[in-house]
């Protein structure tokens, strides 16, 4: 044993002393496309490219080639650097078939060529025009959404700029348009192959009153007519006084469609399963059944969809998911209906009082409209699971309701409303294992105590929408494959063997290896499937809870423990699991959870010196006041989350999660004085370390160095200054060591 260890140590020292990469030769690694759509035509692909420290300093020395060795036009932007300034992560954008095979080549002798027809962005007199070569989108300075869009001579959007709307509980209609909306534009990414435009502004009433804020990202790719929209609604007002009846996006078209096609299906047996009871109930569930449960909320699940065709004929036709099974409720209710348009009414009506053509259980993610010389498909990924949602088409164009006013509910965040209309049996019937009400609910005064106000001001809710314009004709198989690619994006990813070898994830990882370690890999897979199977016992779906993590500790105590949004290590290790395996289920869960945390745990809007970065949903700012549902307790900034937002950005190019990371870093710089952090313990330093590594911020670097040096005591038995520890010198020493290791990796500080 000793000899083996010594030989391994000697080998490791020798390997570490030899440069792994020579800058004098061309290197390469494989890219994988994890695709479930089967789409064979060009599609916007974005993927992260990791590099080992010291291997590369210039993104122009990277190119992508296909299986025949031919260069594929690509845009490659640096996303993160190592301590020595070399590239740690780059983001590659290309418009190519998800069925292709691709390889990255890099080195001093590599140069990347420009595409024949690069994407062009032009700003003139406040107007912004983006020409992808396949479509042209034009934005006006005082309107949030694209005003017009065309493919060649075919106009498929006209007068759409003021289509971001909101109806509040007072019946007032607000739009993100006009001078009072104060629309601001930022070109987040600009290049020959892809562009990301960020716009934000206010929802304002006809009287000029601001009721909420919108923040939107538009993704466009060279050679593609498709537009991805990430829309974030930010609640800026006291939600005990002002809330939402209906909000969404209108995309106006020059004419009425001749035919509209929606999709739907019946709920599966697994979706309909009743909640199991008892602490040990899952021990008797077979692995096969667990796997079925684990796949339930996955976008990759294959369902048998049916098409439902409607002719608008002067009316608005719509597809609505009113209710989907959630928490302990097991109802499914979806509607295909029609309504003669009268503009957006106060509350937009009630589906039970308006004509409907078909009742069903679960609707799909998309609707498609056919016009005289073109078509337009609108996609909202995971629509049903985020109910109440709808997609509609009518004489004025397409509409996506992110909270549908046709449902019988309002987006009212007051706790009693949420209990009565959303959580229902879960909130009123479930008790702890000893039969008593959960301690957190007792602290709140039980169900009656929920009349106490809980303000959602500062929270956000974010959705993705795709517009897929097409030429004339109605090729249903191709449309279905495109919508699948929009709902379940093809993932462009480096081979796990390469990724883990670079250590760009920030710590050593071993790629998934079922040949050498079959039992270990089987245990990891079984754990993951068991964790995901818990979703059927307490299904966290709907506008409020979609993306919430399962709690690993819910079997140890009352169900109300599930109200906490965090689980030790889960959010971080999900991205490690994805990196080492390339398996989609990890990425899908990690992305949902990241967005959930970003929407509900960060404060997106502040006033009167409220915390920037604190939990928005709360009874109060202190740890002793229980949250209703959306997190743990208020803090100066989100803890242990920045790294995961960044990793998702490095893998996928998602700009919303990058915004979250920057917001958190700003909160740290603004509020942290080097002392306030300590009540939450040393792991919080990892958040600061990660924020520092984003841009190598000198101010954060100085703050870190001062605290780390205070933490270290080289004369102490374990090297730590016990004055900074809450529970004694030996309490979670390994946790502190990891902090010091991460700090050393980030800074090279020899004292650490």
């Amino acid at each position: 044993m000793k000899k083996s260890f010594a030989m391994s140590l000697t080998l490791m020292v020798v390997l570490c002393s030899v440069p792994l990469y020579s800058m004098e030769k061309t290197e390469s690694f494989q890219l994988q496309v994890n695709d479930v759509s089967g789409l064979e035509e060009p599609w916007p692909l974005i993927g992260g490219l990791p590099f080992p420290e010291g291997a590369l300093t210039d993104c122009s020395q990277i190119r992508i080639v296909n299986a025949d060795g031919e260069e594929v036009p690509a845009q490659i932007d640096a996303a993160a650097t190592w301590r020595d300034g070399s590239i740690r992560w780059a983001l590659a954008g290309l418009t190519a078939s998800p069925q292709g095979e691709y390889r990255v080549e890099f080195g001093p002798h590599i140069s990347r060529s420009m595409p024949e027809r690069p994407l062009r962005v032009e700003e003139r007199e406040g107007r912004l025009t983006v020409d992808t070569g396949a479509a042209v989108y034009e934005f006006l300075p005082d309107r949030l959404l694209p005003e017009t869009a065309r493919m060649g001579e075919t106009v498929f959007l006209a007068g759409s700029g003021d289509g971001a709307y909101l109806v509040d509980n007072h019946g007032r209609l607000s739009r993100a348009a006009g001078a009072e909306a104060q629309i601001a534009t930022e070109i987040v990414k600009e290049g020959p192959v892809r562009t990301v435009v960020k716009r934000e502004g206010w929802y304002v009433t006809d009287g000029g009153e601001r009721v909420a804020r919108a923040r939107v990202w538009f993704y466009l790719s060279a050679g593609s007519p498709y537009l991805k929209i990430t829309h974030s609604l930010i609640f800026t007002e006291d939600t005990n006084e002002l809330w939402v009846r209906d909000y969404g996006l209108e995309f106006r078209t020059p004419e009425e469609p001749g035919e509209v096609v929606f999709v739907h299906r019946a709920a599966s047996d697994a979706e309909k399963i009743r909640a199991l009871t008892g602490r040990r109930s899952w021990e008797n569930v077979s692995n096969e059944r667990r796997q079925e449960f684990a796949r339930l909320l996955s976008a990759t699940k294959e369902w048998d969809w049916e098409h439902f065709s409607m002719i608008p004929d002067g009316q608005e036709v719509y597809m609505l998911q009113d209710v989907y099974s959630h928490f302990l409720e097991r109802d499914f209710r979806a509607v295909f209906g029609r309504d003669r348009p009268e503009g957006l009414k106060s509350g937009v009506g009630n589906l039970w009082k308006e004509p409907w053509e078909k009742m069903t259980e679960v609707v799909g993610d998309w609707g498609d409209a056919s016009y005289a010389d073109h078509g337009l498909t609108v996609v909202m990924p995971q629509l049903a699971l985020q109910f109440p949602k709808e997609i509609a088409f009518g004489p004025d164009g397409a509409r996506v309701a992110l909270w549908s006013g046709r449902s019988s509910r309002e987006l009212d965040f007051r706790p009693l409303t949420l209990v009565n209309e959303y959580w229902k049996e879960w909130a009123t019937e479930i008790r702890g294992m000893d039969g008593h009400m959960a301690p957190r609910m007792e602290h709140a005064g039980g169900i009656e105590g929920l009349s106490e106000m809980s303000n959602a001001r500062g929270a956000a809710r974010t959705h993705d929408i795709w517009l897929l314009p097409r030429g004339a004709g109605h090729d249903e198989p191709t449309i279905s494959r495109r919508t699948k690619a929009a709902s379940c994006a093809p993932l462009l990813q480096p081979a796990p063997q390469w990724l883990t070898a670079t250590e760009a994830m920030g710590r050593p990882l071993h790629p998934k290896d079922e040949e050498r370690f079959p039992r270990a890999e089987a245990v990891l897979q079984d754990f993951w499937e068991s964790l995901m199977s818990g979703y059927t016992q307490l299904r966290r779906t709907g506008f409020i809870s979609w993306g919430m993590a399962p709690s690993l500790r819910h079997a140890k105590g009352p169900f109300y423990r599930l109200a906490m949004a965090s689980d030790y290590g889960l959010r971080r290790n999900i991205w490690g699991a994805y990196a080492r395996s390339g398996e989609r289920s990890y990425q899908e869960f990690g992305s949902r959870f990241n967005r959930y945390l970003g929407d509900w745990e960060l404060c997106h809007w502040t006033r009167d010196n409220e915390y920037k970065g604190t939990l928005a949903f709360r009874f109060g700012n202190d740890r002793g006041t229980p949250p209703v549902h959306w997190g743990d307790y208020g803090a100066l900034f989100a803890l242990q989350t920045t790294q995961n937002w960044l990793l998702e950005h490095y893998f996928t190019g998602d700009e919303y999660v990058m915004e979250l990371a920057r917001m958190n870093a700003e909160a740290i710089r603004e509020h942290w004085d080097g002392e306030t952090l300590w009540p939450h313990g040393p792991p919080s330093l990892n958040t600061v370390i990660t924020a520092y590594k984003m841009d190598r911020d000198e101010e954060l670097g100085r703050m870190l160095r001062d605290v780390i040096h205070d933490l270290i005591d080289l004369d102490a038995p374990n090297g730590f200054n016990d004055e900074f520890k809450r529970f004694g010198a030996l309490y979670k020493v390994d946790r502190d060591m990891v902090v010091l290791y991460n700090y050393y990796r980030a800074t090279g500080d020899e004292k650490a």
Side-chain angles (χ1 to χ4, degrees):
M1 180 72 72
K2 292 182 178 179
K3 182 177 180 181
S4 175
F5 175 79
M7 291 177 64
S8 299
L9 183 61
T10 303
L11 178 60
M12 185 168 64
V13 171
V14 171
L15 288 174
C16 290
S17 66
V18 177
L20 292 178
Y21 299 92
S22 169
M23 295 302 292
E24 299 302 320
K25 66 177 183 178
T26 298
E27 301 284 352
S28 69
F29 59 90
Q30 289 296 125
L31 284 177
Q32 301 174 169
V33 184
N34 188 323
D35 173 67
V36 297
S37 71
L39 186 67
E40 296 183 356
E41 62 187 24
W43 182 263
L45 301 176
I46 303 175
L49 310 180
F51 296 93
E53 189 169 8
L56 191 70
T57 58
D58 188 348
C59 279
S60 68
Q61 297 177 343
I62 309 170
R63 71 175 183 177
I64 296 176
V65 298
N66 61 23
D68 297 325
E70 300 169 339
E71 183 176 356
V72 180
Q75 178 178 325
I76 300 177
D77 304 302
T81 61
W82 291 97
R83 193 172 70 218
D84 64 359
S86 61
I87 296 170
R88 179 182 167 203
W89 283 94
L91 277 171
L94 56 152
T95 305
S97 170
Q99 310 312 312
E101 297 180 9
Y102 306 102
R103 189 174 75 254
V104 176
E105 296 181 343
F106 67 96
H109 305 300
I110 292 293
S111 62
R112 189 170 62 257
S113 59
M114 288 284 290
E116 292 183 5
R117 188 171 180 183
L119 184 151
R120 294 180 299 176
V121 179
E122 181 180 330
E123 292 186 82
R124 181 179 298 176
E125 298 179 352
R127 290 174 176 256
L128 176 69
T129 302
V130 182
D131 184 351
T132 71
V136 178
Y137 291 85
E138 183 180 50
F139 298 82
L140 298 185
D142 63 345
R143 298 184 170 202
L144 186 72
L145 299 182
E147 179 70 7
T148 62
R150 59 182 171 83
M151 296 183 296
E153 299 301 318
T154 301
V155 176
F156 59 90
L157 293 183
S160 263
D162 65 348
Y165 72 90
L166 183 149
V167 179
D168 65 29
N169 58 306
H170 303 295
R172 299 175 301 177
L173 173 64
S174 304
R175 292 190 180 274
E180 295 297 322
Q182 298 182 341
I183 304 298
T185 301
E186 177 187 354
I187 308 297
V188 178
K189 286 282 187 300
E190 182 177 1
V193 176
R194 74 182 189 105
T195 286
V196 182
V197 178
K198 173 188 168 188
R199 308 194 89 202
E200 59 182 306
W202 292 97
Y203 286 93
V204 292
T205 65
D206 289 340
E209 183 177 351
R210 299 170 177 175
V211 299
R213 192 161 178 82
R215 189 176 292 146
V216 188
W217 289 261
F218 302 92
Y219 295 78
L220 302 106
S221 298
S224 172
Y226 309 140
L227 176 66
K228 178 186 175 182
I229 302 171
T230 298
H231 175 277
S232 188
L233 174 68
I234 301 169
F235 304 95
T236 60
E237 306 307 308
D238 186 334
T239 57
N240 293 287
E241 305 294 334
L242 188 147
W243 56 88
V244 177
R245 287 181 177 172
D246 189 300
Y247 84 97
L249 306 177
E250 295 177 304
F251 302 100
R252 299 192 184 95
T253 57
E255 58 186 295
E256 180 181 58
E259 181 186 28
V260 174
V261 175
F262 296 116
V263 290
H264 69 100
R265 63 175 173 83
S268 71
D269 290 340
E271 284 175 293
K272 293 180 178 179
I273 190 172
R274 293 295 302 172
L276 301 179
T277 56
R279 292 184 59 177
R280 305 295 181 184
S281 57
W282 291 104
E283 291 184 357
N284 298 322
V285 178
S286 68
N287 285 334
E288 291 75 16
R289 196 65 166 161
R290 289 187 181 191
Q291 290 172 10
E292 183 180 4
F293 294 151
R295 290 193 298 268
L296 263 179
L297 298 189
S298 172
T300 64
K301 178 69 178 176
E302 292 297 332
W303 305 104
D304 293 325
W305 295 102
E306 296 183 33
H307 291 78
F308 189 78
S309 176
M310 305 180 75
I311 308 298
D313 193 22
Q315 301 185 43
E316 184 179 68
V317 295
Y318 61 86
M319 172 184 79
L320 165 70
Q321 186 74 44
D322 184 44
V323 175
Y324 181 91
S325 173
H326 60 286
F327 283 78
L328 296 182
E329 307 305 312
R330 289 297 180 263
D331 292 334
F332 298 87
R333 186 167 62 246
V335 177
F336 295 105
R338 62 175 59 245
D339 182 25
R340 189 168 300 281
E342 302 171 1
L344 285 166
K345 305 181 288 278
S346 173
V348 198
N350 185 310
L351 77 91
W352 306 118
K353 296 180 181 180
E354 296 176 359
W356 48 269
E357 295 196 355
K358 182 180 179 64
M359 300 293 291
T360 185
E361 291 182 319
V362 182
V363 296
D365 297 342
W366 59 273
D368 178 82
S370 295
Y371 299 84
D373 58 354
H374 71 285
L376 178 63
T377 310
V378 177
V379 185
M380 181 160 54
Q382 303 295 291
L383 181 153
L385 276 65
Q386 301 180 76
F387 73 94
K389 296 279 187 292
E390 73 173 276
I391 294 177
F393 293 92
D396 296 330
R399 185 169 63 86
V400 180
L402 303 175
W403 178 278
S404 174
R406 294 190 204 273
S407 73
S408 56
R409 299 170 301 281
E410 296 181 347
L411 181 52
D412 177 357
F413 296 99
R414 293 176 299 177
L416 272 179
T417 304
L418 289 171
V419 167
N420 292 331
E421 295 187 357
Y422 181 53
W423 295 316
K424 297 184 180 180
E425 184 182 354
W426 172 74
T428 58
E429 299 298 330
I430 295 299
R431 299 290 186 266
M433 294 304 157
D434 58 359
H436 297 292
M437 182 175 287
R440 296 174 73 81
M441 286 302 299
E442 288 177 347
H443 184 84
I447 299 299
E448 295 76 14
L450 289 180
S451 59
E452 187 175 350
M453 291 183 178
S454 174
N455 199 345
R457 182 167 65 192
R461 186 64 168 91
T462 306
H463 299 87
D464 291 328
I465 299 99
W466 281 83
L467 298 184
L468 308 178
R470 56 180 173 80
H474 196 72
D475 180 2
E476 286 190 4
T478 299
I479 292 172
S480 295
R481 285 191 288 269
R482 285 181 192 146
T483 61
K484 188 69 170 179
S487 289
C488 193
L491 301 175
L492 187 67
Q493 55 196 158
Q497 292 77 8
W498 169 265
L499 171 55
T500 54
T502 66
E503 295 198 9
M505 292 290 292
R507 62 191 190 280
L509 286 172
H510 194 288
K512 185 173 181 178
D513 191 340
E514 293 178 298
E515 287 189 12
R516 296 175 61 198
F517 310 110
R519 292 180 62 191
E521 298 293 359
V523 167
L524 293 174
Q525 185 68 27
D526 182 66
F527 171 79
W528 171 248
E529 291 171 355
S530 297
L531 177 63
M532 290 298 101
S533 67
Y535 269 114
T536 59
Q537 188 174 16
L538 200 69
R539 195 171 294 148
R540 303 158 187 84
T541 59
F543 184 98
I544 302 296
S545 298
W546 175 239
M548 184 180 182
S551 172
L552 298 179
R553 297 177 296 280
H554 73 269
K556 297 181 180 179
F559 269 28
Y560 275 95
R561 185 67 174 82
L562 289 166
M564 297 185 69
S566 62
D567 243 311
Y568 288 168
L570 177 61
R571 58 186 88 175
R572 180 191 70 184
N573 289 319
I574 287 301
W575 292 101
Y578 175 59
R580 64 182 298 272
S581 69
E583 293 173 2
R584 176 178 290 273
S585 60
Y586 297 118
Q587 186 274 339
E588 288 177 342
F589 172 81
S591 179
R592 289 197 301 268
F593 192 21
N594 269 354
R595 185 160 290 186
Y596 172 89
L597 292 172
D599 282 346
W600 298 135
E601 279 207 316
L602 284 186
C603 193
H604 294 253
W605 182 255
T606 58
R607 62 175 60 181
D608 302 328
N609 295 317
E610 287 184 357
Y611 288 156
K612 179 67 176 289
T614 187
L615 174 70
F617 280 90
R618 59 190 183 277
F619 285 133
N621 289 334
D622 299 325
R623 183 168 186 160
T625 55
V628 183
H629 174 66
W630 290 268
D632 190 355
Y633 49 84
L636 288 178
F637 39 86
L639 307 177
Q640 304 179 13
T641 309
T642 300
Q643 177 181 5
N644 315 299
W645 291 329
L646 288 174
L647 287 174
E648 181 178 358
H649 176 72
Y650 299 154
F651 275 116
T652 67
D654 188 303
E655 294 296 339
Y656 176 67
V657 291
M658 188 65 184
E659 176 93 357
L660 300 174
R662 294 197 183 282
M663 284 175 56
N664 216 27
E666 178 187 343
I668 294 171
R669 280 191 293 268
E670 182 177 349
H671 292 290
W672 184 42
D673 58 10
E675 297 292 335
T676 312
L677 183 71
W678 286 106
H680 302 304
S684 306
L685 284 172
N686 273 328
T687 298
V688 188
I689 294 166
T690 303
Y692 163 73
K693 289 193 297 183
M694 284 173 53
D695 302 304
R696 304 288 166 180
D697 184 271
E698 293 184 3
E699 180 183 359
L700 283 177
R702 288 194 299 271
M703 295 161 63
L704 267 174
R705 184 179 184 277
D706 291 344
V707 174
I708 290 290
H709 282 205
D710 285 341
L711 176 65
I712 297 171
D713 180 1
L714 296 180
D715 294 326
N718 58 20
F720 294 108
N721 185 343
D722 195 38
E723 293 182 7
F724 286 92
K725 301 191 68 61
R726 291 178 294 165
F727 303 107
L730 296 180
Y731 180 74
K732 295 190 177 178
V733 170
D734 61 323
R735 188 171 68 176
D736 298 340
M737 290 166 60
V738 170
V739 169
L740 291 182
Y741 170 75
N742 290 338
Y743 169 76
Y744 170 72
R745 288 288 300 267
T747 64
D749 188 332
E750 292 294 339
K751 186 172 184 180

